[in-house]
Amino acid sequence: MMDWNAYREKLMAGIGDLQALSPDTVGGYVQASGAGAKTNYLDGKTRELIAIAVAVTTRCDGCISVHAERAVKQGASEQEVAEALGVAVALNAGAALVYSARALDAVKKTTERSDLMTATSS
């Protein structure tokens, strides 16, 4: 498995390099990611649990690393993280189910068109 702490440190150094070259890019990200904390409708732990689940669905190791650390600092237990990850698993499966129906629809429409073209050329 990955050394998440070392990875996070290296990642943050790389983001620091990007910030030096393009401060508005990183600043815009920081502003967007801090917006929820300003309204504070959800507590920090809940926001971090959501962030971990989203990080899994977007397959972002950097996001997993950062938000795992923040979730722990906000008091999230392994059980709470596991439940949030269960939601991510279900959503990914649900998305695959939805897109499976779309793929079948595409096959049906292609088959119908192919059948129609064959019938009109005969």
Side-chain angles (χ1 to χ4, degrees), residues 68-100:
E69 179 186 47
R70 289 181 183 174
V72 168
K73 286 181 178 178
Q74 289 288 332
S77 68
E78 285 187 43
Q79 294 84 356
E80 290 169 319
V81 171
E83 187 170 329
L85 296 174
V87 173
V89 169
L91 274 239
N92 277 319
L97 189 62
V98 168
Y99 273 81
S100 294

Side-chain angles (χ1 to χ4, degrees), residues 15-87:
I15 291 172
D17 293 344
L18 177 60
Q19 184 173 18
L21 295 168
S22 184
D24 288 346
T25 298
V26 176
Y29 165 78
V30 169
Q31 183 177 6
S33 63
K38 287 184 177 181
T39 58
N40 209 32
Y41 297 128
L42 300 174
D43 64 25
K45 181 170 76 170
T46 302
R47 281 193 302 276
E48 293 306 328
L49 291 169
I50 292 168
I52 289 174
V54 171
V56 167
T57 64
T58 58
R59 297 171 183 87
C60 178
D61 283 342
C63 299
I64 290 169
S65 172
V66 168
H67 293 290
E69 179 186 47
R70 289 181 183 174
V72 168
K73 286 181 178 178
Q74 289 288 332
S77 68
E78 285 187 43
Q79 294 84 356
E80 290 169 319
V81 171
E83 187 170 329
L85 296 174
V87 173

